[in-house]
Amino acid sequence: MADQINSLEELGAVATATPVVVVAPREPKRDSLGRSYATGKRKDAVARVWIRPGSGKVVVNGKEMAVYFARPVLQMILRQPFTVAGVTGQFDVFATVAGGGLSGQAGAVKHGISKALQLYDPTLRGALKAAGFLTRDSRVVERKKYGKAKARKSFQFSKR
């Protein structure tokens, strides 16, 4: 406590002498072909996603989105990051997905698209983060326990 501030002038001198830390804006991360890459995960599914400027074409495991994800709900899940960010139809997506079922794979691709969009254009990060698309959904199937019928279900109890 050797340096005590006793007047407003001393406080002003200390305040101006303290350096102000300015956070540098995030830099876009793109490869030599102008693409951004991200990995998305959901349940047991893992998606590797590349995005680049284009006409809005989405290819998953070598098939069109409408062919691979036939249910309209799954197609809507894939389109959500683009509508939230306001860039619908501006990016082409190429994704490879492995593991899990169709619902988990759709969630993994959505997570990957969101992360890749944020890497391609860091100004989109706020909208995607507010919508919760950059957070990995950590819910997974609970494992079966020894002595149980399923994860939590017990065998029927009988006194005799």
Side-chain angles (χ1 to χ4, degrees):
M1 288 273 203
D3 296 341
Q4 283 190 341
I5 300 171
N6 296 325
S7 66
L8 288 175
E9 291 78 25
E10 292 176 14
L11 179 65
V14 171
T16 56
T18 307
V20 177
V21 178
V22 178
V23 178
R26 294 176 184 264
E27 292 292 322
K29 293 183 182 173
R30 302 176 191 152
D31 64 5
S32 59
L33 301 174
R35 304 175 301 181
S36 283
Y37 167 79
T39 304
K41 296 181 180 182
R42 170 80 170 95
K43 294 187 177 180
D44 274 341
V46 179
R48 299 184 305 158
V49 179
W50 290 265
I51 65 163
R52 67 172 184 216
S55 59
K57 183 176 159 187
V58 179
V59 177
V60 180
N61 286 353
K63 299 179 182 177
E64 290 291 323
M65 175 182 62
V67 176
Y68 193 83
F69 295 113
R71 287 186 288 186
V73 174
L74 300 178
Q75 295 175 23
M76 179 200 66
I77 287 173
L78 260 63
R79 287 192 213 102
Q80 282 179 335
F82 296 112
T83 55
V84 166
V87 291
T88 306
Q90 295 180 19
F91 290 96
D92 287 343
V93 178
F94 178 77
T96 57
V97 196
L102 282 178
S103 178
Q105 288 184 352
V109 174
K110 170 183 156 183
H111 186 225
I113 289 172
S114 302
K115 286 171 63 176
L117 276 173
Q118 171 245 312
L119 290 173
Y120 189 87
D121 186 2
T123 59
L124 303 176
R125 180 175 170 82
L128 292 168
K129 186 151 179 71
F133 293 163
L134 297 178
T135 306
R136 192 241 197 257
D137 191 351
S138 61
R139 296 175 297 169
V140 293
V141 177
E142 191 174 347
R143 68 173 283 271
K144 182 192 175 301
K145 277 77 170 188
Y146 174 76
K148 297 277 188 176
K150 292 169 36 176
R152 297 188 179 200
K153 183 180 178 184
S154 297
F155 297 109
Q156 183 173 349
F157 175 75
S158 174
K159 196 168 191 177
R160 296 177 218 253

